[in-house]
Amino acid sequence: MFEKIISDVINKQIDKIFGGLTGIFKKKYNEYKYKIQTGKAFEEYIKLSFEKYKYTKTILYKHEPVLIEEFYVNLDLELNNKVIDTRSVKNLVEVSNDLIITGVAGSGKSTLMKYLFLNSIENKAGIPIFIEIRNIKKDIFNDLFEILKEYNFPQDIDLFEKILKSGKFIVFLDGIDEVSPDIRNKISSEIIYMRDSFSNNVYIVTSRPNEKYVSWVNFTELKI
């Protein structure tokens, strides 16, 4: 079922992303038209990510992965004494396109992010991209580009930058608190840069609570 949904997600967004291109970007689009129109630029990435993130381990299931959908219990998020239901990613996006979800260690942040990633596919809410921040090699923007290049996205960083401006993506950035403190400020700056440069997308970040997020002026903090 999900393979059909993934194809539908891609086909729904492709025309919106590339339909408004003009000039040199229209020419570049025509060069890569076959890969883009068939959805291969994104579809393979989402299919493999779906297979990766539909499983997780828990305290009860420490020794083998289990399907999230078989045990996931809805986590409520709080904003100004108001409860945000996480059963649909659309409930979160109604609050803001720029969110940071905070909770103590073991509160279920990563499981929630995996669930929301899968839910965004099911709801055809946009093209979802999932990044575990602890695995970043260069910086968020270039790592994102390198990831998609592996799955048949055209090797053209200017075109990639242009399509990010289309605002058709939901970017999940999990675990900023899991990187060493000496690079955490750098990662924070990169997230803010991504949000400011490609502000039409949705960004959802997770972390343990930290007062520094008050300075993330465009982000709304939701607490588990």
Side-chain angles (χ1 to χ4, degrees), residues 8-60:
D8 289 345
V9 168
I10 296 302
N11 292 331
K12 180 180 178 181
Q13 302 298 338
I14 288 297
D15 287 340
K16 293 179 181 178
I17 290 173
F18 295 100
L21 295 180
T22 58
I24 187 172
F25 293 106
K26 184 69 173 179
K27 183 179 179 181
K28 287 183 177 185
Y29 166 66
N30 288 331
E31 290 176 15
Y32 303 119
K33 197 170 185 178
Y34 175 74
K35 284 184 179 180
I36 292 169
Q37 282 190 330
T38 56
K40 295 301 181 184
F42 303 105
E43 193 168 331
E44 288 183 26
Y45 165 75
I46 296 178
K47 284 180 179 178
L48 289 172
S49 295
F50 169 75
E51 289 300 318
K52 179 179 180 180
Y53 295 120
K54 71 180 181 180
Y55 293 101
T56 194
K57 290 184 177 180
T58 70
I59 294 174
L60 291 176

Short mmCIF file of all heavy atoms in Angstrom, two decimals, residues 8-60:
data_model
loop_
_atom_site.label_atom_id
_atom_site.label_comp_id
_atom_site.label_asym_id
_atom_site.label_seq_id
_atom_site.Cartn_x
_atom_site.Cartn_y
_atom_site.Cartn_z
N ASP A 8 2.31 8.35 -5.31
CA ASP A 8 1.32 9.43 -5.37
C ASP A 8 1.88 10.73 -4.79
O ASP A 8 1.63 11.82 -5.31
CB ASP A 8 0.04 9.04 -4.63
CG ASP A 8 -0.76 7.97 -5.36
OD1 ASP A 8 -0.47 7.74 -6.55
OD2 ASP A 8 -1.66 7.38 -4.74
N VAL A 9 2.62 10.61 -3.67
CA VAL A 9 3.23 11.79 -3.05
C VAL A 9 4.15 12.48 -4.03
O VAL A 9 4.09 13.70 -4.22
CB VAL A 9 4.03 11.39 -1.78
CG1 VAL A 9 4.90 12.54 -1.30
CG2 VAL A 9 3.07 10.96 -0.67
N ILE A 10 5.02 11.69 -4.68
CA ILE A 10 5.99 12.27 -5.61
C ILE A 10 5.27 12.89 -6.80
O ILE A 10 5.55 14.04 -7.18
CB ILE A 10 6.99 11.19 -6.09
CG1 ILE A 10 7.81 10.68 -4.91
CG2 ILE A 10 7.90 11.75 -7.17
CD1 ILE A 10 8.58 11.74 -4.17
N ASN A 11 4.35 12.15 -7.40
CA ASN A 11 3.67 12.67 -8.59
C ASN A 11 2.88 13.94 -8.29
O ASN A 11 2.78 14.84 -9.13
CB ASN A 11 2.73 11.60 -9.16
CG ASN A 11 3.50 10.43 -9.75
OD1 ASN A 11 4.62 10.61 -10.22
ND2 ASN A 11 2.91 9.25 -9.72
N LYS A 12 2.34 14.02 -7.07
CA LYS A 12 1.56 15.19 -6.67
C LYS A 12 2.45 16.43 -6.59
O LYS A 12 2.01 17.55 -6.91
CB LYS A 12 0.91 14.93 -5.31
CG LYS A 12 0.07 16.09 -4.78
CD LYS A 12 -0.54 15.73 -3.44
CE LYS A 12 -1.33 16.89 -2.87
NZ LYS A 12 -1.91 16.56 -1.53
N GLN A 13 3.70 16.24 -6.17
CA GLN A 13 4.58 17.38 -5.91
C GLN A 13 5.45 17.78 -7.10
O GLN A 13 5.87 18.93 -7.21
CB GLN A 13 5.49 17.08 -4.71
CG GLN A 13 4.76 16.74 -3.42
CD GLN A 13 3.89 17.88 -2.92
OE1 GLN A 13 4.10 19.04 -3.27
NE2 GLN A 13 2.89 17.55 -2.11
N ILE A 14 5.74 16.83 -8.01
CA ILE A 14 6.70 17.09 -9.09
C ILE A 14 6.30 18.30 -9.94
O ILE A 14 7.10 19.20 -10.19
CB ILE A 14 6.88 15.85 -9.98
CG1 ILE A 14 7.69 14.78 -9.23
CG2 ILE A 14 7.57 16.21 -11.30
CD1 ILE A 14 9.08 15.19 -8.87
N ASP A 15 5.05 18.32 -10.40
CA ASP A 15 4.60 19.42 -11.25
C ASP A 15 4.66 20.75 -10.50
O ASP A 15 5.01 21.79 -11.08
CB ASP A 15 3.19 19.17 -11.76
CG ASP A 15 3.14 18.09 -12.83
OD1 ASP A 15 4.21 17.82 -13.42
OD2 ASP A 15 2.07 17.52 -13.06
N LYS A 16 4.31 20.72 -9.20
CA LYS A 16 4.35 21.95 -8.41
C LYS A 16 5.77 22.47 -8.27
O LYS A 16 6.02 23.67 -8.29
CB LYS A 16 3.74 21.69 -7.03
CG LYS A 16 2.25 21.38 -7.05
CD LYS A 16 1.75 21.11 -5.64
CE LYS A 16 0.27 20.76 -5.63
NZ LYS A 16 -0.22 20.45 -4.26
N ILE A 17 6.71 21.55 -8.09
CA ILE A 17 8.10 21.94 -7.89
C ILE A 17 8.71 22.51 -9.16
O ILE A 17 9.36 23.55 -9.15
CB ILE A 17 8.94 20.74 -7.41
CG1 ILE A 17 8.54 20.36 -5.99
CG2 ILE A 17 10.43 21.05 -7.47
CD1 ILE A 17 9.20 19.09 -5.48
N PHE A 18 8.49 21.83 -10.28
CA PHE A 18 9.20 22.19 -11.50
C PHE A 18 8.38 23.01 -12.49
O PHE A 18 8.92 23.55 -13.45
CB PHE A 18 9.72 20.92 -12.19
CG PHE A 18 10.75 20.19 -11.38
CD1 PHE A 18 10.40 19.08 -10.64
CD2 PHE A 18 12.06 20.64 -11.33
CE1 PHE A 18 11.34 18.41 -9.88
CE2 PHE A 18 13.01 19.99 -10.57
CZ PHE A 18 12.66 18.87 -9.85
N GLY A 19 7.07 23.11 -12.25
CA GLY A 19 6.22 23.82 -13.20
C GLY A 19 6.54 25.29 -13.35
O GLY A 19 6.33 25.88 -14.41
N GLY A 20 7.05 25.92 -12.30
CA GLY A 20 7.29 27.36 -12.36
C GLY A 20 8.71 27.76 -12.72
O GLY A 20 9.06 28.94 -12.66
N LEU A 21 9.54 26.79 -13.11
CA LEU A 21 10.93 27.12 -13.44
C LEU A 21 11.01 27.91 -14.75
O LEU A 21 10.27 27.67 -15.70
CB LEU A 21 11.76 25.84 -13.57
CG LEU A 21 11.94 25.00 -12.30
CD1 LEU A 21 12.79 23.78 -12.60
CD2 LEU A 21 12.58 25.82 -11.20
N THR A 22 11.94 28.85 -14.78
CA THR A 22 12.17 29.64 -15.99
C THR A 22 13.66 29.75 -16.25
O THR A 22 14.49 29.40 -15.41
CB THR A 22 11.59 31.07 -15.82
OG1 THR A 22 12.21 31.69 -14.68
CG2 THR A 22 10.09 31.03 -15.63
N GLY A 23 14.01 30.25 -17.43
CA GLY A 23 15.39 30.55 -17.76
C GLY A 23 16.30 29.34 -17.67
O GLY A 23 15.97 28.24 -18.12
N ILE A 24 17.46 29.52 -17.05
CA ILE A 24 18.47 28.47 -16.98
C ILE A 24 17.97 27.26 -16.21
O ILE A 24 18.32 26.12 -16.53
CB ILE A 24 19.79 29.00 -16.35
CG1 ILE A 24 20.88 27.93 -16.46
CG2 ILE A 24 19.56 29.43 -14.90
CD1 ILE A 24 22.25 28.43 -16.05
N PHE A 25 17.10 27.48 -15.22
CA PHE A 25 16.60 26.35 -14.43
C PHE A 25 15.60 25.52 -15.23
O PHE A 25 15.51 24.32 -15.04
CB PHE A 25 15.98 26.85 -13.13
CG PHE A 25 16.99 27.45 -12.20
CD1 PHE A 25 17.07 28.81 -12.02
CD2 PHE A 25 17.90 26.64 -11.53
CE1 PHE A 25 18.01 29.37 -11.17
CE2 PHE A 25 18.85 27.18 -10.69
CZ PHE A 25 18.91 28.55 -10.51
N LYS A 26 14.86 26.16 -16.12
CA LYS A 26 13.97 25.43 -17.02
C LYS A 26 14.80 24.56 -17.96
O LYS A 26 14.45 23.40 -18.23
CB LYS A 26 13.13 26.42 -17.84
CG LYS A 26 12.09 25.74 -18.75
CD LYS A 26 10.98 25.10 -17.94
CE LYS A 26 9.87 24.58 -18.83
NZ LYS A 26 8.81 23.93 -18.04
N LYS A 27 15.93 25.10 -18.42
CA LYS A 27 16.83 24.34 -19.30
C LYS A 27 17.41 23.14 -18.56
O LYS A 27 17.47 22.03 -19.08
CB LYS A 27 17.95 25.25 -19.79
CG LYS A 27 18.90 24.57 -20.76
CD LYS A 27 19.98 25.54 -21.24
CE LYS A 27 20.95 24.83 -22.19
NZ LYS A 27 22.03 25.75 -22.64
N LYS A 28 17.81 23.37 -17.30
CA LYS A 28 18.36 22.27 -16.51
C LYS A 28 17.29 21.21 -16.26
O LYS A 28 17.57 20.01 -16.29
CB LYS A 28 18.90 22.80 -15.18
CG LYS A 28 20.19 23.58 -15.32
CD LYS A 28 20.70 24.03 -13.96
CE LYS A 28 22.04 24.74 -14.12
NZ LYS A 28 22.63 25.10 -12.82
N TYR A 29 16.08 21.66 -15.99
CA TYR A 29 14.98 20.72 -15.78
C TYR A 29 14.79 19.83 -17.00
O TYR A 29 14.63 18.61 -16.89
CB TYR A 29 13.69 21.47 -15.47
CG TYR A 29 12.44 20.62 -15.58
CD1 TYR A 29 12.22 19.57 -14.69
CD2 TYR A 29 11.49 20.87 -16.57
CE1 TYR A 29 11.09 18.79 -14.78
CE2 TYR A 29 10.35 20.08 -16.67
CZ TYR A 29 10.16 19.05 -15.77
OH TYR A 29 9.04 18.27 -15.88
N ASN A 30 14.84 20.43 -18.18
CA ASN A 30 14.66 19.66 -19.41
C ASN A 30 15.77 18.63 -19.59
O ASN A 30 15.55 17.54 -20.13
CB ASN A 30 14.60 20.59 -20.62
CG ASN A 30 13.30 21.38 -20.66
OD1 ASN A 30 12.26 20.91 -20.18
ND2 ASN A 30 13.33 22.59 -21.21
N GLU A 31 16.98 18.96 -19.13
CA GLU A 31 18.10 18.02 -19.23
C GLU A 31 17.87 16.78 -18.37
O GLU A 31 18.25 15.67 -18.73
CB GLU A 31 19.40 18.69 -18.78
CG GLU A 31 19.91 19.76 -19.75
CD GLU A 31 21.16 20.45 -19.20
OE1 GLU A 31 21.77 19.90 -18.25
OE2 GLU A 31 21.52 21.51 -19.71
N TYR A 32 17.24 16.99 -17.23
CA TYR A 32 17.04 15.90 -16.28
C TYR A 32 15.59 15.41 -16.25
O TYR A 32 15.17 14.72 -15.34
CB TYR A 32 17.43 16.35 -14.87
CG TYR A 32 18.83 16.86 -14.75
CD1 TYR A 32 19.08 18.16 -14.33
CD2 TYR A 32 19.92 16.04 -15.03
CE1 TYR A 32 20.38 18.64 -14.22
CE2 TYR A 32 21.22 16.51 -14.91
CZ TYR A 32 21.44 17.81 -14.50
OH TYR A 32 22.72 18.26 -14.38
N LYS A 33 14.86 15.79 -17.29
CA LYS A 33 13.41 15.61 -17.27
C LYS A 33 12.98 14.16 -17.02
O LYS A 33 12.05 13.91 -16.25
CB LYS A 33 12.83 16.08 -18.61
CG LYS A 33 11.33 16.33 -18.59
CD LYS A 33 10.93 17.03 -19.88
CE LYS A 33 9.46 17.41 -19.85
NZ LYS A 33 9.06 18.12 -21.08
N TYR A 34 13.66 13.22 -17.63
CA TYR A 34 13.22 11.82 -17.50
C TYR A 34 13.27 11.37 -16.05
O TYR A 34 12.30 10.84 -15.51
CB TYR A 34 14.08 10.90 -18.36
CG TYR A 34 13.74 9.45 -18.15
CD1 TYR A 34 12.56 8.91 -18.67
CD2 TYR A 34 14.56 8.62 -17.38
CE1 TYR A 34 12.22 7.59 -18.45
CE2 TYR A 34 14.23 7.29 -17.16
CZ TYR A 34 13.05 6.79 -17.69
OH TYR A 34 12.71 5.48 -17.46
N LYS A 35 14.41 11.60 -15.38
CA LYS A 35 14.54 11.17 -13.98
C LYS A 35 13.54 11.88 -13.09
O LYS A 35 12.93 11.30 -12.19
CB LYS A 35 15.96 11.45 -13.47
CG LYS A 35 17.01 10.48 -13.97
CD LYS A 35 18.34 10.78 -13.33
CE LYS A 35 19.39 9.78 -13.80
NZ LYS A 35 20.71 10.04 -13.20
N ILE A 36 13.37 13.17 -13.33
CA ILE A 36 12.49 13.96 -12.47
C ILE A 36 11.03 13.57 -12.68
O ILE A 36 10.29 13.36 -11.73
CB ILE A 36 12.69 15.47 -12.75
CG1 ILE A 36 14.09 15.88 -12.26
CG2 ILE A 36 11.62 16.29 -12.04
CD1 ILE A 36 14.50 17.26 -12.71
N GLN A 37 10.61 13.45 -13.93
CA GLN A 37 9.21 13.14 -14.21
C GLN A 37 8.81 11.75 -13.73
O GLN A 37 7.68 11.52 -13.32
CB GLN A 37 8.91 13.27 -15.71
CG GLN A 37 8.74 14.71 -16.16
CD GLN A 37 8.22 14.78 -17.57
OE1 GLN A 37 8.48 13.92 -18.39
NE2 GLN A 37 7.49 15.84 -17.88
N THR A 38 9.75 10.82 -13.77
CA THR A 38 9.43 9.48 -13.31
C THR A 38 9.50 9.38 -11.79
O THR A 38 9.20 8.35 -11.21
CB THR A 38 10.38 8.43 -13.93
OG1 THR A 38 11.73 8.79 -13.62
CG2 THR A 38 10.20 8.35 -15.42
N GLY A 39 9.91 10.46 -11.15
CA GLY A 39 9.93 10.49 -9.71
C GLY A 39 11.13 9.82 -9.08
O GLY A 39 11.26 9.77 -7.87
N LYS A 40 12.05 9.29 -9.89
CA LYS A 40 13.17 8.55 -9.35
C LYS A 40 14.08 9.42 -8.50
O LYS A 40 14.80 8.92 -7.64
CB LYS A 40 13.97 7.91 -10.49
CG LYS A 40 13.20 6.86 -11.27
CD LYS A 40 12.73 5.72 -10.38
CE LYS A 40 11.99 4.66 -11.15
NZ LYS A 40 11.44 3.60 -10.26
N ALA A 41 14.05 10.73 -8.75
CA ALA A 41 14.92 11.63 -7.98
C ALA A 41 14.59 11.61 -6.50
O ALA A 41 15.44 11.88 -5.67
CB ALA A 41 14.80 13.05 -8.53
N PHE A 42 13.36 11.30 -6.16
CA PHE A 42 12.94 11.30 -4.76
C PHE A 42 12.36 9.96 -4.31
O PHE A 42 12.45 9.60 -3.16
CB PHE A 42 11.88 12.38 -4.52
CG PHE A 42 12.32 13.76 -4.90
CD1 PHE A 42 11.86 14.36 -6.06
CD2 PHE A 42 13.21 14.46 -4.10
CE1 PHE A 42 12.27 15.63 -6.41
CE2 PHE A 42 13.63 15.72 -4.44
CZ PHE A 42 13.16 16.31 -5.60
N GLU A 43 11.76 9.26 -5.26
CA GLU A 43 10.98 8.08 -4.89
C GLU A 43 11.83 6.99 -4.24
O GLU A 43 11.45 6.39 -3.24
CB GLU A 43 10.28 7.52 -6.12
CG GLU A 43 9.21 6.50 -5.80
CD GLU A 43 8.34 6.17 -7.00
OE1 GLU A 43 8.16 7.05 -7.86
OE2 GLU A 43 7.85 5.03 -7.05
N GLU A 44 13.04 6.74 -4.79
CA GLU A 44 13.89 5.70 -4.23
C GLU A 44 14.32 6.07 -2.82
O GLU A 44 14.37 5.21 -1.93
CB GLU A 44 15.12 5.48 -5.13
CG GLU A 44 14.79 4.79 -6.45
CD GLU A 44 16.04 4.52 -7.27
OE1 GLU A 44 17.13 4.41 -6.67
OE2 GLU A 44 15.94 4.43 -8.50
N TYR A 45 14.65 7.34 -2.61
CA TYR A 45 15.06 7.78 -1.28
C TYR A 45 13.94 7.55 -0.27
O TYR A 45 14.17 7.02 0.83
CB TYR A 45 15.45 9.26 -1.29
CG TYR A 45 15.54 9.83 0.11
CD1 TYR A 45 16.61 9.53 0.93
CD2 TYR A 45 14.51 10.62 0.62
CE1 TYR A 45 16.67 10.01 2.23
CE2 TYR A 45 14.56 11.10 1.92
CZ TYR A 45 15.64 10.80 2.72
OH TYR A 45 15.69 11.25 4.00
N ILE A 46 12.72 7.94 -0.62
CA ILE A 46 11.61 7.82 0.32
C ILE A 46 11.28 6.35 0.59
O ILE A 46 11.00 5.97 1.74
CB ILE A 46 10.37 8.57 -0.19
CG1 ILE A 46 10.67 10.07 -0.27
CG2 ILE A 46 9.18 8.34 0.73
CD1 ILE A 46 9.55 10.90 -0.81
N LYS A 47 11.34 5.52 -0.43
CA LYS A 47 11.05 4.09 -0.24
C LYS A 47 12.06 3.45 0.72
O LYS A 47 11.68 2.70 1.64
CB LYS A 47 11.06 3.36 -1.58
CG LYS A 47 9.80 3.59 -2.41
CD LYS A 47 9.87 2.84 -3.73
CE LYS A 47 8.60 3.05 -4.54
NZ LYS A 47 8.65 2.38 -5.85
N LEU A 48 13.34 3.74 0.52
CA LEU A 48 14.36 3.16 1.39
C LEU A 48 14.29 3.74 2.80
O LEU A 48 14.49 3.03 3.78
CB LEU A 48 15.75 3.38 0.78
CG LEU A 48 16.03 2.54 -0.47
CD1 LEU A 48 17.34 2.96 -1.12
CD2 LEU A 48 16.08 1.06 -0.14
N SER A 49 13.98 5.02 2.89
CA SER A 49 13.82 5.64 4.22
C SER A 49 12.61 5.07 4.94
O SER A 49 12.65 4.86 6.15
CB SER A 49 13.67 7.16 4.08
OG SER A 49 14.85 7.73 3.55
N PHE A 50 11.56 4.81 4.19
CA PHE A 50 10.37 4.19 4.78
C PHE A 50 10.71 2.84 5.39
O PHE A 50 10.33 2.53 6.53
CB PHE A 50 9.28 4.04 3.72
CG PHE A 50 8.12 3.19 4.16
CD1 PHE A 50 7.18 3.69 5.05
CD2 PHE A 50 7.99 1.89 3.70
CE1 PHE A 50 6.12 2.89 5.48
CE2 PHE A 50 6.94 1.09 4.13
CZ PHE A 50 5.99 1.60 5.01
N GLU A 51 11.48 2.03 4.64
CA GLU A 51 11.87 0.72 5.14
C GLU A 51 12.75 0.84 6.39
O GLU A 51 12.67 0.03 7.31
CB GLU A 51 12.60 -0.08 4.05
CG GLU A 51 11.72 -0.54 2.92
CD GLU A 51 10.60 -1.47 3.41
OE1 GLU A 51 10.87 -2.34 4.26
OE2 GLU A 51 9.46 -1.30 2.95
N LYS A 52 13.58 1.87 6.42
CA LYS A 52 14.49 2.07 7.54
C LYS A 52 13.77 2.54 8.80
O LYS A 52 14.03 2.07 9.90
CB LYS A 52 15.57 3.09 7.16
CG LYS A 52 16.56 3.40 8.26
CD LYS A 52 17.61 4.39 7.78
CE LYS A 52 18.62 4.69 8.89
NZ LYS A 52 19.65 5.67 8.43
N TYR A 53 12.84 3.49 8.64
CA TYR A 53 12.26 4.15 9.80
C TYR A 53 10.93 3.56 10.27
O TYR A 53 10.39 4.01 11.28
CB TYR A 53 12.12 5.64 9.53
CG TYR A 53 13.45 6.32 9.35
CD1 TYR A 53 13.78 6.97 8.17
CD2 TYR A 53 14.40 6.28 10.37
CE1 TYR A 53 15.01 7.58 8.00
CE2 TYR A 53 15.65 6.89 10.20
CZ TYR A 53 15.94 7.53 9.03
OH TYR A 53 17.17 8.12 8.86
N LYS A 54 10.42 2.56 9.57
CA LYS A 54 9.16 1.97 10.03
C LYS A 54 9.39 1.04 11.21
O LYS A 54 8.44 0.62 11.87
CB LYS A 54 8.44 1.25 8.90
CG LYS A 54 9.09 -0.06 8.44
CD LYS A 54 8.28 -0.68 7.31
CE LYS A 54 8.89 -2.00 6.84
NZ LYS A 54 8.10 -2.61 5.75
N TYR A 55 10.66 0.71 11.47
CA TYR A 55 11.02 -0.13 12.61
C TYR A 55 11.74 0.68 13.68
O TYR A 55 12.41 1.66 13.39
CB TYR A 55 11.94 -1.26 12.18
CG TYR A 55 11.31 -2.28 11.26
CD1 TYR A 55 11.55 -2.24 9.89
CD2 TYR A 55 10.47 -3.28 11.75
CE1 TYR A 55 10.98 -3.16 9.03
CE2 TYR A 55 9.89 -4.22 10.91
CZ TYR A 55 10.15 -4.15 9.54
OH TYR A 55 9.58 -5.07 8.71
N THR A 56 11.63 0.23 14.92
CA THR A 56 12.41 0.84 16.00
C THR A 56 12.56 -0.20 17.11
O THR A 56 11.97 -1.28 17.07
CB THR A 56 11.74 2.11 16.54
OG1 THR A 56 12.67 2.84 17.36
CG2 THR A 56 10.50 1.80 17.34
N LYS A 57 13.38 0.13 18.12
CA LYS A 57 13.51 -0.71 19.32
C LYS A 57 13.05 0.10 20.52
O LYS A 57 13.16 1.32 20.54
CB LYS A 57 14.96 -1.16 19.51
CG LYS A 57 15.42 -2.18 18.47
CD LYS A 57 16.82 -2.67 18.76
CE LYS A 57 17.25 -3.73 17.76
NZ LYS A 57 18.62 -4.23 18.02
N THR A 58 12.54 -0.59 21.51
CA THR A 58 12.03 0.07 22.71
C THR A 58 12.56 -0.64 23.94
O THR A 58 13.24 -1.67 23.85
CB THR A 58 10.49 0.05 22.74
OG1 THR A 58 10.07 -1.31 22.96
CG2 THR A 58 9.89 0.56 21.45
N ILE A 59 12.21 -0.13 25.11
CA ILE A 59 12.60 -0.78 26.36
C ILE A 59 12.00 -2.19 26.42
O ILE A 59 12.63 -3.14 26.89
CB ILE A 59 12.13 0.05 27.57
CG1 ILE A 59 12.90 1.38 27.60
CG2 ILE A 59 12.32 -0.70 28.87
CD1 ILE A 59 12.41 2.36 28.66
N LEU A 60 10.77 -2.34 25.94
CA LEU A 60 10.12 -3.64 25.95
C LEU A 60 10.67 -4.58 24.88
O LEU A 60 10.68 -5.80 25.05
CB LEU A 60 8.61 -3.49 25.75
CG LEU A 60 7.83 -2.83 26.90
CD1 LEU A 60 6.37 -2.65 26.50
CD2 LEU A 60 7.92 -3.66 28.17
#
